[in-house]
């Protein structure tokens, strides 16, 4: 270490990799040392104990959660860079290496331009991961249902339609056409494929039931989820997603910040006399945005406020339906944030007579 450097000046910047990571120990703006280490808790603990830096810098990634937890246990400040921010976009680079990435973290931090993001607690991260796992299981179930339909259509038979087709009675009717693959002749392999698809569907439905049971258990003990379910048309899956992705509503000061976090604000390009706004940015948690849009469609049946907002956006017509639903989903997110922030139950706005008639 430099003779003039102190622990208060030392910065440890890490370019994290799945197996190997590169560390840049920055003692000053001109004094940097690099080392390569295995991406493990033991190796990182030894590196931090050796240098005792004032701050540890990392990029937002899959590994950021446990690295932040480890730094907290060791009593070291950890800052996580938002790689989606404008300050993190570099164009026309002649070279990009792991060393360059680690050094860039330290240099941007010393310039005071570090785009930091907040890493939620481990309990919140685990709940988010379970919600996203459930969404993947739902997608897998839909894919299997489509495969089963394709088998029937390919044989000139009526494809299963509607929710009743996937009840216990409907699945039993489909299973009557299925046969184990080993018992199928060369001209009846479709029966074997149907048997495999039905078996896989039953397995996925079992896994989905386990995820739903655990999420329901967590929802019953979460005051925020119960609070959001007072909104007509909002069920436990949407309520728990909003609560999980907005665990600290006080971090947002304005509705614009909440909308931007959900990815519901339009892209903007402004230059001199040009001011163009395009489609929404779609930044932020995709699972939250997806569930809010799905919930917005359902709310049209049960929520008069939602129907009024939708009617104002479509002007009572049949155009711009998707844009109106996205706008409704953004408004729903903002209202959920306000409810969590203030701890108040759903309170519908007064609906103008013209909007109610529409």
């Amino acid at each position: 270490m430099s003779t003039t450097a102190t622990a208060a000046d030392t910065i440890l910047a890490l370019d994290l990799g799945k197996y190997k990571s590169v560390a840049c120990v920055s003692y000053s703006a001109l004094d940097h040392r690099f080392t390569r280490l295995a991406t493990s808790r033991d190796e990182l603990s030894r590196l931090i104990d050796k240098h005792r830096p004032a701050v540890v810098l990392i990029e937002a990634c899959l590994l950021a959660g446990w690295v932040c937890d480890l730094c907290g246990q060791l009593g070291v400040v950890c800052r996580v860079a938002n790689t989606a921010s404008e300050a993190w976009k570099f164009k026309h680079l002649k070279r990009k290496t792991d060393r360059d990435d680690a050094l860039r973290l330290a240099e941007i931090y010393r310039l005071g331009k570090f785009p930091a993001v907040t890493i939620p607690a481990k309990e919140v991260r685990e709940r988010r991961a379970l919600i996203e796992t459930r969404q993947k299981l739902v997608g897998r179930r839909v894919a299997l249902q489509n495969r089963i339909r394709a088998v029937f259509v390919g044989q000139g038979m009526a494809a299963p339609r509607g929710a009743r087709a996937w009840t216990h009675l409907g699945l039993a009717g489909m299973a009557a056409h299925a046969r184990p693959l080993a018992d199928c002749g060369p001209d009846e392999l479709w029966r074997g494929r149907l048997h495999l698809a039905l078996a896989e569907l039953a397995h996925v439905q079992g896994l989905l039931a386990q995820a739903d049971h655990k999420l329901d258990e967590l929802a019953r003990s979460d005051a925020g989820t119960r609070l959001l379910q007072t909104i007509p048309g909002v069920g436990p899956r949407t309520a728990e997603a909003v609560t999980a992705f907005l665990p600290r509503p006080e971090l947002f000061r304005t509705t614009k910040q909440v909308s931007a976090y959900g990815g519901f604000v339009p892209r903007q390009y402004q230059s001199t006399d040009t001011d163009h706004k395009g489609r929404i940015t779609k930044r932020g948690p995709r699972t939250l945005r997806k569930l809010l849009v799905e919930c917005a469609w359902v709310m049209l049946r049960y929520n008069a406020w939602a129907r009024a907002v939708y009617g104002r956006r479509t002007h009572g017509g049949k155009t711009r339906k998707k844009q109106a639903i996205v706008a409704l989903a953004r408004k729903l997110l903002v209202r959920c944030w306000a409810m969590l922030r203030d701890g108040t139950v759903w309170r519908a706005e007064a609906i103008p007579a013209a909007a109610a008639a529409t």
Side-chain angles (χ1 to χ4, degrees):
M1 181 184 296
S2 175
T3 57
T4 59
T6 63
D9 301 323
T10 305
I11 296 173
L12 177 59
L14 297 169
D15 182 64
L16 297 173
K18 188 182 298 185
Y19 305 109
K20 293 289 185 178
S21 300
V22 173
C24 172
V25 184
S26 176
Y27 302 117
S28 65
L30 300 176
D31 189 2
H32 313 291
R33 313 290 171 83
F34 296 92
T35 182
R36 185 176 291 272
L37 68 154
T39 307
S40 67
R41 295 177 181 270
D42 294 338
E43 289 288 329
L44 187 55
S45 297
R46 282 193 288 268
L47 183 66
I48 293 175
D49 288 335
K50 176 181 179 181
H51 297 283
R52 300 307 301 177
V55 63
V56 174
L57 307 176
I58 59 176
E59 296 180 5
C61 61
L62 182 63
L63 309 174
W66 70 262
V67 174
C68 283
D69 294 341
L70 179 62
C71 291
Q73 295 170 7
L74 298 175
V76 178
V77 177
C78 182
R79 294 285 181 265
V80 183
N82 178 16
T83 55
S85 68
E86 293 297 328
W88 206 250
K89 293 183 179 179
F90 306 97
K91 297 181 179 179
H92 311 300
L93 289 177
K94 299 298 183 182
R95 186 185 70 174
K96 183 184 182 301
T97 65
D98 293 341
R99 283 193 172 196
D100 295 333
D101 291 341
L103 178 60
R104 192 173 295 117
L105 282 168
E107 290 176 340
I108 291 179
Y109 184 81
R110 290 193 182 277
L111 290 173
K113 302 294 185 181
F114 193 81
V117 294
T118 303
I119 298 297
K122 183 174 177 56
E123 180 181 346
V124 177
R125 299 199 307 268
E126 292 293 335
R127 190 179 183 188
R128 289 181 182 180
L130 180 56
I131 292 172
E132 291 175 347
T133 298
R134 182 193 176 275
Q135 285 300 305
K136 291 180 180 179
L137 288 173
V138 170
R140 185 61 183 163
R141 181 181 62 184
V142 172
L144 288 168
Q145 290 172 344
N146 290 337
R147 188 194 302 176
I148 292 171
R149 290 192 186 97
V151 170
F152 281 101
V153 171
Q155 299 303 314
M157 304 170 66
R161 291 194 304 175
R164 292 184 179 181
W166 308 106
T167 61
H168 180 73
L169 184 61
L171 291 172
M174 297 181 207
H177 298 281
R179 191 179 301 168
L181 193 58
D183 299 338
C184 296
D187 58 340
E188 289 188 331
L189 293 178
W190 68 273
R191 298 183 184 273
R193 291 189 290 112
L194 179 60
H195 184 271
L196 294 176
L198 289 172
E200 189 175 357
L201 178 62
H203 178 65
V204 170
Q205 287 179 329
L207 297 178
L208 191 56
Q210 295 181 40
D212 285 338
H213 177 74
K214 187 60 180 180
L215 287 172
D216 289 338
E217 180 183 327
L218 294 173
R220 285 192 294 269
S221 60
D222 183 30
T225 302
R226 297 196 304 270
L227 181 67
L228 295 183
Q229 288 187 74
T230 62
I231 305 175
V234 174
R237 300 290 82 90
T238 304
E240 69 194 7
V242 175
T243 307
F245 286 98
L246 294 176
R248 297 175 59 191
E250 68 277 4
L251 292 178
F252 301 95
R253 297 189 301 273
T254 64
T255 58
K256 289 184 178 181
Q257 292 180 351
V258 180
S259 302
Y261 171 73
F264 286 111
V265 295
R267 301 175 184 271
Q268 185 175 14
Y269 175 80
Q270 188 178 59
S271 178
T272 60
D273 296 333
T274 302
D275 189 0
H276 175 71
K277 292 184 179 180
R279 299 178 182 271
I280 59 174
T281 61
K282 293 186 179 181
R283 290 184 178 178
R286 181 175 61 179
T287 300
L288 174 63
R289 189 166 52 253
K290 177 177 180 291
L291 287 171
L292 285 170
V293 171
E294 291 178 356
C295 183
W297 284 111
V298 175
M299 287 180 70
L300 296 179
R301 282 194 244 169
Y302 306 104
N303 196 308
W305 167 82
R307 288 194 294 271
V309 173
Y310 181 77
R312 288 197 297 267
R313 291 286 180 173
T314 58
H315 302 289
K318 298 182 179 180
T319 60
R320 300 182 62 82
K321 289 185 177 181
K322 292 184 178 180
Q323 292 88 338
I325 283 295
V326 171
L328 177 58
R330 185 198 69 81
K331 285 182 174 290
L332 175 60
L333 175 61
V334 169
R335 299 207 73 179
C336 290
W337 163 71
M339 291 172 63
L340 292 173
R341 180 197 60 190
D342 302 334
T344 56
V345 298
W346 170 258
R347 184 173 62 252
E349 297 175 345
I351 302 172
T358 303

